[in-house]
C-alpha cells in the first residue's frame, strides 16, 4: 500500500488543542507541509503571538520564539538582520497584526524586510473571549460590540493587506481562506509563494488567511465556514493583492 | 569625544552586532555614531526603528539569533521599552540598554536628571525580575562599563541597563579604549537560527501552569542572588577616617567629589561612596561603613530614590540626610560644599 498522507516532519506528535472548526490546526499543518516540502526545517524560525496560537510551539517541530503582542515583525527583523540565511515567519492574528502591531507591521513591510507574515483573520479576539477586532465586520456582534459593530463609533473593518500592498517593500500579498478544500489548497500555494519571495530575497511577504472562530462566533463549524464564504469574503475578497515577485510563476 | 559617541565606540569594540534606535534627545549622538560606524561593519546591523517599542523588540530578535545587541534612549523612551525588557528578562536573553536619562515625569526636560533610579533598579516593567544597572560617572567609565555591560549580559543571560544622563552624554572627555574590536563577531552557542543538527527549540514566557512559572521565577531569583554576590561594585573615596560620607552615583557623584575635596582642604573629614552597580546595590559596603561612620548624606538629582536603598542597607543605624535637585537642574560643587559644611557644623564635626 502506498502512503499518501502523513504527519509533516515539522509537526510534533501532539494532538491540537484548538476548538472544533478552528482554522489554526489547518493553517499550522499547511505551514509545516510547506516547510517540509521546501526543505526549510533546518533554517526556519517561527514567531508565534500571544493568543490561542501562543501554544504553536507545542505543535511545530521547528525553532520558535514567542513575541510580545504585536511586535512579531520587529522581532523577526532582529533575527533576519542578524542572520540573513535564516527563514523567519511570523504567525499573527488580527488584533495582533491589525491593531497593536500595525506600526511594526507597516514599517517592516516598508523596509522590505525579508520576512513572511502569516496573518490569521478571524474577525475577533479569540483567546480573550471574542471581543471586537479591527477586522470585525460592520454589524457583527462580539462581546464588546453586543449590539453589533457600529462603524460610526467603532470604525470600519480594517483592510491590512490592501494597506500593506502600498508599501514598496512588500512584494507578495495574498488573501485566502481555509473554508473549503479548494481554498485550503490555494492557501498552501500562497504560503509557498510567500516563503519563496523571502528565499529569493525580494522583500516582505504576507498571506492573510480568513479563518473561523466557531466558539466566539457562536456558530457550528459548518456554519462558520459558510459564514466565511458568504459574508466575510464580501468585506475581505480573496485573491492575490500584490505580486511584485517578478517571476512569471514561482510554482 | 562626547559621552554618547564613547558608548557607541565601546559597544562596537565589545562586538556589538546590532544596534536598534529611535531618536530622542539627549542621546542622539549615540544613534548617529552607530549609523555612521556600525552600519558599515561587516555582518552588523543598524536600524532606525519606527518606535522605541520596535527597537527593543529588534534587540530581542537579534539576541534570540545569538548576537550582542543594543538599544539606547532617554527617559520617556525607556518607559516605552519596558515591555521588551520584561520579555528579555523572562526569556533570559542578554541585551544592553542605555538610558541617557533626562528630567521627568512626562516629557520632562532634556537636561540631566537621575529620576529614573526607581525604574532602572526595580526591574522597570511588569513581572518579578531584575536587570543589572551600571552607573558611569565619567567618559572613561562610559567606555569601560559599556564593555562590561556586554560581558555581564552574556555571562548571566540578563538585560543590562547603563544609566547615564544628559550631561554625561554631552560632555567631551578624553577616553582610552582598552579593547580592540574583535576580528569575528561573538555568537552565543544557543543562537536560534533553525533546528539544524539539534532538536527544535522553544523560547517562551507564557505558561498555563503557575508551578512552571514559579520555577522560572525561582531560577531567575537564584541567578540574581549570584549576581549580588559576584558583581556588586562601588568606589569608596576617602572613607577611611570619614565622619560624614556622601553617597551619590553617576554625574552627581562627580559633582560631590569636588565638594568633598573642598571639605577636606578645610579640614573636614568627609568621604564618598559611589555605587557603580545600582542593582545590585552595595548594601554590605554601606553597612560596613556605618560601623565607623555615623552620618550619611545622600545626594541625588531627584527627590530621593536611591536614599531608600541606603535606608534599607543601614537598617536604622546611622543618621541619613538628603540633598536632591530634581527636574533637570544641575547642582554645582559649591552648592554641595555648602550643604556639607553646614551639616558638619550642625553635627560638630571637625
Amino acid at each position: 500500500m502506498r502512503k499518501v498522507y502523513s504527519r509533516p516532519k515539522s509537526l510534533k506528535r501532539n494532538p491540537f488543542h484548538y476548538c472544533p472548526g478552528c482554522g489554526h490546526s489547518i493553517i499550522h499543518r499547511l505551514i509545516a507541509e510547506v516547510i517540509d516540502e521546501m526543505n526549510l526545517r533546518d533554517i526556519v524560525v517561527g514567531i508565534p503571538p500571544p493568543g490561542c496560537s501562543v501554544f504553536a510551539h507545542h505543535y511545530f517541530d521547528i525553532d520558535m520564539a514567542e513575541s510580545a503582542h504585536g511586535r512579531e515583525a520587529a522581532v523577526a527583523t532582529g533575527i533576519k538582520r542578524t542572520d540573513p540565511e535564516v527563514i523567519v515567519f511570523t504567525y499573527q492574528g488580527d488584533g495582533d497584526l491589525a491593531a497593536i502591531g500595525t506600526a511594526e507591521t507597516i514599517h517592516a513591510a516598508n523596509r522590505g524586510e525579508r520576512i513572511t507574515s502569516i496573518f490569521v483573520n478571524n474577525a475577533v479576539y479569540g483567546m480573550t473571549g471574542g471581543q471586537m477586532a479591527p477586522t470585525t465586520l460592520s454589524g457583527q456582534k462580539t462581546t464588546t460590540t453586543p449590539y453589533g459593530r457600529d462603524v460610526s463609533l467603532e470604525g470600519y473593518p480594517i483592510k491590512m493587506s490592501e494597506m500593506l500592498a502600498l508599501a514598496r517593500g512588500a512584494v507578495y500579498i495574498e488573501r485566502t481562506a481555509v473554508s473549503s478544500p479548494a481554498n485550503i489548497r490555494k492557501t498552501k500555494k500562497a504560503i509557498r509563494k510567500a516563503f519563496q519571495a523571502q528565499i529569493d530575497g525580494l522583500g516582505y511577504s504576507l498571506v492573510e488567511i480568513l479563518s473561523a472562530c466557531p466558539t466566539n462566533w457562536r456558530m457550528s463549524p459548518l456554519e462558520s465556514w459558510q459564514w466565511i464564504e458568504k459574508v466575510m469574503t464580501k468585506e475581505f475578497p480573496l485573491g492575490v493583492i500584490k505580486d511584485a515577485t517578478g517571476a512569471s510563476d514561482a510554482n | 569625544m562626547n559621552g554618547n559617541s564613547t558608548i557607541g565606540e565601546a559597544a562596537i569594540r565589545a562586538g556589538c552586532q546590532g544596534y536598534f534606535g529611535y531618536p530622542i534627545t539627549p542621546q542622539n549622538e549615540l544613534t548617529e555614531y552607530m549609523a555612521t560606524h556600525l552600519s558599515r561593519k561587516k555582518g552588523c546591523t543598524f536600524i532606525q526603528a519606527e518606535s522605541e517599542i520596535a527597537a527593543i523588540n529588534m534587540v530581542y530578535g537579534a539576541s534570540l539569533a545569538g548576537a550582542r545587541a543594543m538599544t539606547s534612549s532617554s527617559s520617556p523612551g525607556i518607559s516605552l521599552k519596558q515591555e521588551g525588557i520584561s520579555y528579555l528578562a523572562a526569556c533570559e536573553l542578554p541585551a544592553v540598554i542605555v538610558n541617557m536619562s533626562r528630567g521627568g515625569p512626562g516629557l520632562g526636560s532634556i537636561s540631566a536628571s537621575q529620576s529614573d533610579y526607581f525604574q532602572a533598579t526595580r526591574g522597570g516593567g511588569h513581572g518579578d525580575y531584575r536587570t543589572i544597572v551600571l552607573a558611569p560617572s565619567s567618559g572613561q567609565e562610559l567606555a569601560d562599563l559599556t564593555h562590561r555591560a556586554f560581558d555581564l549580559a552574556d555571562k548571566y543571560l540578563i538585560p543590562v541597563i547603563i544609566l547615564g544622563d544628559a550631561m554625561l552624554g554631552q560632555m567631551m572627555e578624553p577616553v582610552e579604549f582598552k579593547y580592540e574590536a574583535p576580528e569575528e563577531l561573538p555568537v552565543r552557542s544557543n543562537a536560534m537560527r533553525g533546528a539544524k543538527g539539534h532538536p527544535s527549540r522553544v523560547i517562551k514566557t507564557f505558561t498555563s501552569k503557575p508551578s512552571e512559572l514559579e520555577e522560572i521565577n525561582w531560577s531567575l531569583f537564584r541567578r540574581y542572588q549570584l549576581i549580588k554576590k559576584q558583581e556588586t561594585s562601588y568606589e569608596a573615596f576617602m572613607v577611611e577616617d570619614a565622619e560624614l560620607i556622601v553617597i551619590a552615583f553617576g554625574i552627581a557623584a562627580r559633582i560631590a567629589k569636588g565638594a568633598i575635596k573642598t571639605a577636606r582642604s578645610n579640614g573636614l573629614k568627609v568621604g564618598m561612596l559611589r555605587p557603580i552597580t545600582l542593582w545590585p546595590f552595595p548594601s554590605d559596603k554601606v553597612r560596613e561603613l556605618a560601623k565607623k561612620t555615623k552620618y550619611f548624606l545622600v545626594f541625588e538629582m531627584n527627590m530621593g530614590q536611591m536614599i531608600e536603598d541606603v535606608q534599607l542597607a543601614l537598617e536604622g543605624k546611622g543618621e541619613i540626610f538628603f540633598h536632591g535637585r530634581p527636574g533637570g537642574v544641575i547642582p554645582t560643587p559649591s552648592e554641595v560644599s555648602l550643604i556639607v559644611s553646614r551639616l558638619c557644623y550642625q553635627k560638630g564635626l571637625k
Side-chain angles (χ1 to χ4, degrees), chain A residues 61 63-64 66 71 111, chain B residues 50 60 83 200-201 203 205:
Chain A
D61 193 7
D63 272 8
M64 290 205 117
E66 233 175 69
R71 319 299 176 212
R111 286 192 303 268
Chain B
E50 59 273 24
Y60 176 87
E83 174 194 67
S200 62
R201 288 164 312 174
I203 299 276
T205 70

Side-chain angles (χ1 to χ4, degrees), chain B residues 15-335:
Chain B
C16 175
Q17 187 183 348
Y19 172 91
F20 309 93
Y22 184 83
I24 184 170
T25 308
Q27 59 82 57
N28 295 314
E29 295 82 1
L30 172 49
T31 312
E32 289 160 5
Y33 193 90
M34 296 311 241
T36 310
H37 299 284
L38 184 75
S39 65
R40 293 295 172 91
K41 275 184 73 82
K42 193 170 168 283
C44 294
T45 299
F46 165 88
I47 297 181
Q48 179 174 329
E50 59 273 24
S51 69
E52 287 90 346
I53 298 171
I56 190 75
N57 281 284
M58 290 173 189
V59 167
Y60 176 87
S63 185
L64 275 171
R68 287 194 154 184
M70 178 191 207
T71 184
S72 67
S73 190
S74 181
S75 308
I78 294 294
S79 293
L80 289 171
K81 290 186 194 293
Q82 294 303 335
E83 174 194 67
I85 298 172
S86 171
Y87 277 74
L88 285 163
C91 294
E92 302 174 47
L93 289 170
V96 174
I97 300 122
V98 179
N99 179 3
M100 301 310 272
S101 62
R102 55 189 249 182
L107 199 52
S109 78
I110 60 166
S111 181
S113 177
Q114 297 183 322
S115 53
D116 297 348
Y117 182 92
F118 281 152
Q119 185 195 52
T121 58
R122 267 62 179 167
H126 63 282
D128 208 343
Y129 74 94
R130 298 285 191 171
T131 59
I132 295 175
V133 185
L134 304 175
S137 77
S138 68
Q140 185 59 49
E141 222 176 23
L142 283 172
D144 298 345
L145 290 183
T146 297
H147 204 282
R148 189 177 165 206
F150 280 101
D151 288 347
L152 287 173
D154 277 355
K155 184 175 174 188
Y156 295 103
L157 303 176
I158 190 174
V160 177
I161 312 281
I162 296 175
L163 184 62
D165 62 70
M167 203 171 178
L168 275 171
Q170 304 296 319
M171 249 172 6
M172 304 283 278
E173 290 192 275
V175 174
E176 184 198 342
F177 292 101
K178 292 166 188 162
Y179 302 91
E180 290 297 324
E183 296 276 317
E184 269 186 54
L185 293 162
V187 178
R188 272 198 333 283
S189 56
N190 60 347
M192 182 169 266
R193 298 184 179 191
K196 190 174 187 175
H198 57 78
S200 62
R201 288 164 312 174
V202 176
I203 299 276
K204 61 165 189 160
T205 70
F206 183 76
T207 165
S208 50
K209 291 187 202 128
S211 59
E212 194 182 326
L213 187 56
E214 186 180 38
E215 192 37 60
I216 291 170
N217 274 281
W218 270 107
S219 140
L220 289 175
F221 176 78
R222 284 189 288 269
R223 194 170 322 155
Y224 298 155
Q225 295 300 101
L226 186 69
I227 294 168
K228 275 187 185 178
K229 209 165 125 189
Q230 296 191 336
E231 305 298 344
T232 305
S233 56
Y234 55 83
E235 178 198 357
F237 177 69
M238 303 189 101
V239 293
E240 288 73 23
D241 62 341
E243 294 178 303
L244 170 69
I245 291 174
V246 179
I247 305 182
F249 71 94
I251 197 69
R254 187 93 170 260
I255 295 166
K257 216 170 198 175
I260 288 159
K261 284 176 184 161
T262 309
R264 284 277 171 179
S265 66
N266 294 333
L268 298 170
K269 288 177 180 165
V270 184
M272 179 173 75
L273 178 70
R274 175 172 73 88
I276 294 172
T277 53
L278 299 182
W279 192 91
F281 188 76
S283 306
D284 290 344
K285 185 65 187 175
V286 173
R287 264 193 295 279
E288 182 200 313
L289 292 173
K291 286 179 186 158
K292 288 204 290 188
T293 307
K294 188 176 173 197
Y295 300 109
F296 294 89
L297 170 65
V298 178
F299 167 51
E300 299 177 72
M301 284 155 64
N302 58 45
M303 287 305 284
Q305 299 192 16
M306 181 180 65
I307 190 172
E308 294 191 3
D309 283 330
V310 176
Q311 286 165 334
L312 285 168
L314 284 176
E315 294 168 331
K317 296 183 192 76
E319 215 176 314
I320 308 170
F321 304 89
F322 180 74
H323 181 60
R325 295 299 300 270
V329 171
I330 314 289
T332 60
S334 57
E335 172 185 336

